[in-house]
Amino acid sequence: MFPRRRISWLAAVGFFLLLPASSASAQGPQARGKIVGRIVDAETGKPLPGAQVAVKGAGLGSLAGVDGRYVIAGVPVGTHDLTITLLGYGEKTITGVDVSGADARLVDATLVPEAVAITAITVDAKKEQGSVARALDAQRNATGVISAITSEQIQKSPDRDAAQAVQRVSGVTVQDGRYVFVRGLGERYTTTSLNGARVPSPEPERKVVPLDLFPAGLLQTITTSKTFTPDLSADFSGAHVDIETREFPSRRVLTLQASGGFNGAATGRTVLAAPMSGAEFFGMAGAGRGIPTDVKDPAALERPLTQAQTAQIIRSFRNVWSPGRQDGAPNSSFGFSLGGQDPVFGRSVGYLVSGTYSLTQEARSGEVRSLAVPDGTGGTRPFNEFTGSTGRRSVLWGGLLNLSASVSERVRLTLNNMLDRTADNEAHQDYGILDFFGSPVQRTTLDFVERTVYSSQLRGQAMLGERHFLDASLTRSGVSRDEPDRSDFAYIREIGLTGDTLPLTWLANDDDAAKRSFSTLDEGSWNGALNYRWQLGAVASPVELKTGVAYRATHRDADTRSYAIVAQGLTPQERMAAPEALFDGRYFDGSAQFSVHPVTAGGAYTADEKIAAGFAMVDYPLTPRVHVVAGARVENWKLDLTSAPILRDPGVVGRDNTDVLPSLSLNVKLTEEQNLRLSATQTVSRPEYRELSPITFRDVIGERSMIGNPALRRGLVRNLDARWELYPSRGEVLSVALFAKQFVDPIERVEIATSGASNESFVNADGAHNYGVELEARKSLGFLGASLDPLLLFANATLMKSRITPGNDSISALTNASRPMVGQAPYVVNAGATYATENGLSATLLYNVVGRRITSAGTSPLPDTYEMPRNVLDATLQLPLGGTLTAKLSGKNLLDSPYRQVQGDVARLRYRAGRVVTLGFNWQP
């Protein structure tokens, strides 16, 4: 299905197969091992290529490569001392390094610039590892304002994927379990990259990447950059989220994982279930779900058809319309990881192959859906109010293959490959009053959606001279989204002439009462980047110049088609039949007249986007404690978008903008433990392809329609940030951040006034501003006594306020002339506690709440629609069982607070998702 992807995967697999079976030397009198690690600058956390690492008294040593890594092989078994030297840095000796013949010994180290170090430093190996963890703290050493979640933190949480993990970051919220909002800004202001290369979105109606695509077991670090620097893509203002896949370990390690659990709302209960087809346990739709050949061309349905021809077309659809009911299945997951370093052709090659699979059962009980209309007294009342339930079975699997090798001491190559897939098989059924008919209606929807993301990246790092560095990468990435054969069906309960209630019968004359929909999206992109870094001046405090170019070419094809089946002449008794009986052919030869026609909502669009960029920036030390980082990025954006709505003429949208985006930062090291960061930047916000395409997409009968706006313009965002940070000791932090943003031509999702059903579209507002404060604290309670040293408390809170001045009155008569931005929450709070002992026992409690935020701006006289706050509590317990076996007990959504969207007094959407408990095991044989 993805031929270009297979080339990189096959090449990587072939390379991996060259690895020898074992690298351990035999035990005995001459047994030897090896020492591996990484050397970094204690002040900046940057790697130090060329550092000399020597084993005292053994005549063995190595030079750190371009990424600061080194390998010393053939070290005699025993306890040794290491000396590390580099021109411009203080010499360091690390004592007590234990080497065995079976495992590689990991020894990372930091070097202090000579301007700070007066004499040589000697530390023991255990103490040095603590110093490394502190020096490598990305948040402390970053150029801008960032926050990071590591694999260690993810392991201590019940998080299943990147979306769940990243919501622990200060100011981050996650909508619908997958879409990230940062600092309360809408999803359009967040971008996502994988190992530094941009990831496209598989969603036809959203710009953001759903982070539930990335299994937690494959992640090394999730870094959230909240301020723009010229070496980053400029189309964000909320945050840039970089997902880094796991690195290879220093020695060969095999890890096996398995878990099982239950959802209190689904497991063991009778829930709705959509019939399966094909290998859906692996997230792959069956061939029977494909769009029939007879209806692929809309023109084929425009000519007059005989009843025999119509019957043939109806039979070509998969005759599945009704959900089943079954006991909810337990949740389960499996995973493995194999990695290490081995010599190949005299060079050390690092490798990691990893895979994970999970199956979860979800249910929404007491689900309420409705629209809102004015009640005539200044309030709102429900319109088309329905109550029902949803059952969903979700599959998530992923795999990665990462390889890294030093071609020489000055050149390192890395090949990263990743393939992830998620699939949701969902059944929904509800019952309520359809006000247009004034009668009760039962609606049923069966829907299967699969999403895939892949990435193959080749990266090279080179040291051209003692102080010249080159970093180049080429990435092929892409996404696909397939929603094959969605079915919507509706029965109506009519009122008889005498006022009695009749049985449910098919609403045979409505286009939305028997509908099949087929939707596909495929997007692929090439990303290339070349960065050059030059250090000059004093080694201890150099001026660093960085420049580079980048290019991204993206192609997307999206197609959505819906077909309505209607009939005349069926008796009420015949319309009472199950839909599978209505369309299996038994009524085609009678007096009834069936017809099939394309629904006007839907269509196809093709987008070609090209972004060329260049940047230059300088990190200039005014003093050893004050650094100015200044520069600019120039981006040229070209877009050609062709839309082909159903039964309408195609339309073309073009955009060509060049923007100069400056960045200025001041980083002040107030003391050894305190930093102050100030920055002023300008970024850009571009419309998503779907938002520009004038194609209408409509949900099941009685719900909203969505239409794009070809007149949308790209917007600009001016950003101001300030953050004070205190790092009192290892693993502890206290920070206060202030931020303010000014938006020019921001894009907003709004309701639009129509004579029929409620519709939504997108508009450029006249302007907006956003400001707020972020607080973060992590503190060990060891200062109260040694018994409390394992207990760590942490919390972060973001308080925000925004105001937007809408425009586009010709499209939408908005309720408020001045209101918060769509998606802007007034506050976000995360808090928790971790108790961790040296023997591997740990317990973690996590809490999250997000203030109410607008999901869609209302049309006068209706108010805006808000998503209401939910209190979320999660907990985990990790317990060592002996040897290398560990157990993990997790609980998610323990409070089971309801999800609610309200418009005035009307509940637009309300449901509970249930509590989830999981027990898992991790084993390293």
Side-chain angles (χ1 to χ4, degrees), residues 30 56 114 180 182 184 241 311 438 440 498 573 576 609 774 833 924:
Q30 301 300 319
K56 278 189 175 182
E114 283 183 341
V180 173
V182 180
V241 179
T498 60
Q573 289 74 23
M576 293 178 196
E609 182 184 55
E774 287 182 334
Q924 290 185 1

Side-chain angles (χ1 to χ4, degrees), residues 29 164 175 180 184 192 195 254 301 462-463 698 718 771 879 895:
Q164 296 174 0
Q175 188 180 56
V180 173
T192 303
N195 295 317
L254 172 64
L301 299 177
M463 189 166 58
R698 188 175 179 184
R718 301 182 180 104
Y771 53 89
L879 183 66
L895 302 178

Side-chain angles (χ1 to χ4, degrees), residues 256-509:
L256 303 176
Q257 298 172 323
S259 68
F262 67 89
N263 183 323
T267 308
R269 297 173 178 263
T270 301
V271 297
L272 284 178
M276 294 191 297
S277 172
E280 291 179 8
F281 274 103
F282 299 99
M284 301 177 184
R289 290 184 179 272
I291 184 171
T293 304
D294 293 340
V295 297
K296 279 187 177 181
D297 182 6
L301 299 177
E302 294 180 7
R303 64 178 185 271
L305 300 175
T306 66
Q307 276 297 287
Q309 291 172 323
T310 300
Q312 179 181 343
I313 290 174
I314 295 175
R315 288 193 184 97
S316 68
F317 292 113
R318 179 171 169 258
N319 193 26
V320 177
W321 301 80
S322 305
R325 291 188 177 272
Q326 64 182 35
D327 289 341
N331 299 336
S332 60
S333 68
F334 310 92
F336 78 94
S337 177
L338 175 63
Q341 295 185 67
D342 283 305
V344 176
F345 303 122
R347 292 294 176 183
S348 178
V349 176
Y351 57 93
L352 177 68
V353 56
S354 184
T356 182
Y357 171 90
S358 66
L359 175 66
T360 58
Q361 177 76 63
E362 304 171 49
R364 295 179 177 178
S365 58
E367 190 172 12
V368 176
R369 301 186 184 190
S370 67
L371 301 177
V373 294
D375 63 1
T377 63
T380 57
R381 65 174 179 84
F383 183 80
N384 292 349
E385 184 175 33
F386 286 77
T387 302
S389 63
T390 298
R392 176 190 295 168
R393 178 169 290 186
S394 299
V395 170
L396 170 63
W397 61 260
L400 64 84
L401 176 58
N402 291 348
L403 302 166
S404 182
S406 294
V407 178
S408 69
E409 297 294 348
R410 293 177 175 270
V411 179
R412 188 172 190 85
L413 296 178
T414 303
L415 180 63
N416 296 321
N417 300 277
M418 189 175 193
L419 173 65
D420 294 336
R421 172 168 290 188
T422 180
D424 300 321
N425 196 14
E426 182 177 289
H428 172 78
Q429 192 169 76
D430 56 21
Y431 184 85
I433 300 295
L434 192 64
D435 288 88
F436 181 78
F437 294 101
S439 299
V441 169
Q442 176 183 284
R443 307 181 303 186
T444 300
T445 298
L446 303 180
D447 197 15
F448 179 85
V449 180
E450 61 180 46
R451 302 175 183 88
T452 304
V453 58
Y454 68 91
S455 175
S456 292
Q457 180 190 69
L458 178 63
R459 183 179 181 183
Q461 296 170 287
M463 189 166 58
L464 304 180
E466 292 302 321
R467 309 183 73 182
H468 299 265
F469 306 89
L470 195 66
D471 189 329
S473 65
L474 179 64
T475 305
R476 173 61 181 176
S477 62
V479 294
S480 67
R481 182 185 188 275
D482 194 9
E483 187 177 11
D485 197 23
R486 165 175 166 157
S487 68
D488 295 300
F489 190 84
Y491 285 112
I492 189 170
R493 193 182 296 276
E494 297 175 334
I495 307 299
L497 296 177
T498 60
D500 55 325
T501 302
L502 301 178
L504 288 170
T505 59
W506 174 35
L507 190 58
N509 59 352

Side-chain angles (χ1 to χ4, degrees), residues 672-691:
E672 292 302 315
E673 293 80 26
Q674 296 183 72
N675 292 334
L676 177 65
R677 304 180 189 277
L678 305 171
S679 71
T681 64
Q682 179 167 285
T683 54
V684 65
S685 172
R686 301 184 180 106
E688 198 340 83
Y689 313 135
R690 172 64 190 87
E691 296 170 350

